[in-house]
Amino acid sequence: MKKIAFFIVLLWGSHISSQSLLQTSDGVEIVNNNMNVAHDILLGNVNTSDESLQLKAILALKNKTRVLPSEYFTFTVKGKPSGGVSKLFSGGDFNVNSNYKLGFNQLGLFSDKSMNSTSSFFDFYSVEYEFALKKHVLYKPENPYNQQIDKFTFKGHSVTFNYNMLFKGKHLVTSIVGFSNTSNYDDLDDIEIKDFTLMNSPDFSGQREAGSKLNAKTGEYREYNTIPLRLAYTYLTSEEEENKDRFKIGFTVYYANNMGKEKPVSNVGGIVFLTKQDKVSGVRNPVLGIVVQGNDIFNVKDSGDSFGKRLSIGLTSTFNLLNF
């Protein structure tokens, strides 16, 4: 089934080429470009395909030798319903997963830190640690009745290294590799558990039925470690005075894979975004984008779904919350 998603994704501009913070349709940051952030920034992100809300602060460290800083700290908080918005409240519980991420970013690892419009090569990297709290509800029909519902919180950790190379101010190549502790909870079958009680009425010969519902997962639950791998190419639209009143198109293509004991699942996608130059700041930002992602392109899960049903389509729009 195709998923139509609307993302409110934050992207900001560079004095050389448009800046971008882009997510895949399953909520993974695929392009995280902090170049030329002159002030501390608070970003917000709403991803309705991932059904998540994210806040990200970028804190620039002081640099006396350059106009723009070359090192940044980032702090990200993300929340999403466990199993989707429709299951936010289930069985009397408030089901929200949360992720907390701390990162360090540095410009100019192998290149000159003083990037300018004539630079043919510039690179930067980030290291991020993420701690995740995910609420899980498992239904185990093989257990005795009062032990069939297992509610617990999964605590996951991940570390990622993100390396980026920018060629001629327009061509951005991103590679991400890391280590992640995760589970197969999202891949298990959904089930709705209903408990009912029959009640007799003193003034009526019939019976009344009352009950409660609980959304859960069923199947063989496993926790394991993976090595996430992400590769992306982004064409960043340049800022040219003669084209400041024109819309320009940029795009990203990416490949994502999680390797480990489980069968590796590969996703391939693309993001095409339309940019416009801000009249006040002179910065060119993406204002609208289309995201297309093929999920599990090799069908290693053997889900029985056709490729069309494993395809997700989304839209992106941009804004900036706060400069401080």
Side-chain angles (χ1 to χ4, degrees):
M1 181 182 209
K2 291 186 179 180
K3 294 184 290 185
I4 306 300
F6 178 76
F7 299 94
I8 303 176
V9 181
L10 278 120
L11 308 108
W12 67 100
S14 161
H15 296 291
I16 295 175
S17 49
S18 63
Q19 297 283 312
S20 56
L21 170 62
L22 298 174
Q23 289 188 356
T24 66
S25 66
D26 46 1
V28 177
E29 285 187 356
I30 199 70
V31 177
N32 186 356
N33 186 357
N34 297 339
M35 292 183 303
N36 290 341
V37 176
H39 305 283
D40 299 335
I41 294 177
L42 178 63
L43 307 173
N45 174 271
V46 176
N47 184 330
T48 58
S49 180
D50 186 43
E51 297 186 330
S52 64
L53 172 64
Q54 176 177 292
L55 295 176
K56 182 168 188 172
I58 300 178
L59 307 175
L61 301 183
K62 302 300 181 183
N63 189 339
K64 298 180 180 179
T65 62
R66 296 181 61 232
V67 176
L68 295 172
S70 61
E71 296 178 337
Y72 307 87
F73 278 107
T74 59
F75 180 70
T76 305
V77 179
K78 184 176 183 178
K80 60 174 294 185
S82 177
V85 172
S86 62
K87 302 172 185 177
L88 182 59
F89 296 93
S90 177
D93 295 330
F94 183 55
N95 301 306
V96 175
N97 296 335
S98 57
N99 298 65
Y100 308 90
K101 187 185 298 183
L102 180 65
F104 173 76
N105 306 256
Q106 186 175 48
L107 307 182
L109 180 60
F110 299 112
S111 61
D112 186 355
K113 290 182 172 59
S114 58
M115 183 184 66
N116 55 61
S117 58
T118 62
S119 300
S120 60
F121 170 73
F122 187 79
D123 68 344
F124 56 98
Y125 75 92
S126 65
V127 179
E128 294 182 314
Y129 168 76
E130 184 175 12
F131 176 64
L133 295 173
K134 299 181 179 181
K135 289 190 175 183
H136 291 347
V137 182
L138 293 175
Y139 175 62
K140 302 177 179 179
E142 69 279 4
N143 289 353
Y145 178 79
N146 59 353
Q147 299 176 12
Q148 290 180 341
I149 299 175
D150 185 12
K151 297 182 180 180
F152 62 98
T153 300
F154 170 73
K155 299 177 181 179
H157 305 263
S158 67
V159 178
T160 55
F161 177 77
N162 183 327
Y163 178 68
N164 303 266
M165 297 181 292
L166 180 67
F167 299 95
K168 297 183 179 180
K170 294 183 180 181
H171 308 284
L172 180 64
V173 178
T174 301
S175 59
I176 303 172
V177 66
F179 172 84
S180 178
N181 173 234
T182 186
S183 75
N184 68 333
Y185 182 79
D186 291 337
D187 296 330
L188 299 180
D189 295 328
D190 293 309
I191 190 171
E192 186 179 66
I193 302 170
K194 301 178 181 179
D195 290 326
F196 294 101
T197 302
L198 294 177
M199 299 180 297
N200 295 316
S201 177
D203 57 351
F204 184 66
S205 58
Q207 292 180 318
R208 179 163 290 166
E209 189 177 64
S212 61
K213 298 180 181 179
L214 177 67
N215 295 296
K217 296 278 191 176
T218 184
E220 182 184 354
Y221 174 78
R222 299 185 301 276
E223 296 179 4
Y224 49 88
N225 299 324
T226 65
I227 300 176
L229 175 65
R230 311 282 185 263
L231 300 172
Y233 166 77
T234 303
Y235 177 78
L236 299 171
T237 55
S238 60
E239 295 163 357
E240 301 165 343
E241 181 65 23
E242 61 271 22
N243 294 324
K244 65 179 182 179
D245 296 324
R246 298 180 181 179
F247 286 101
K248 301 187 72 174
I249 295 177
F251 65 88
T252 293
V253 291
Y254 59 86
Y255 169 80
N257 194 342
N258 291 310
M259 298 179 292
K261 290 184 178 180
E262 299 290 308
K263 293 181 178 179
V265 176
S266 299
N267 299 332
V268 174
I271 307 170
V272 178
F273 49 88
L274 188 67
T275 66
K276 185 178 181 181
Q277 198 153 327
D278 186 87
K279 294 182 179 179
V280 177
S281 66
V283 171
R284 179 172 287 276
N285 289 321
V287 294
L288 183 65
I290 299 176
V291 183
V292 179
Q293 177 172 302
N295 303 295
D296 189 12
I297 58 173
F298 301 116
N299 197 24
V300 299
K301 295 181 180 179
D302 195 22
S303 63
D305 293 337
S306 64
F307 179 77
K309 291 183 178 180
R310 300 196 307 273
L311 193 69
S312 58
I313 302 175
L315 297 177
T316 66
S317 182
T318 72
F319 68 93
N320 192 337
L321 280 178
L322 179 64
N323 290 322
F324 56 96

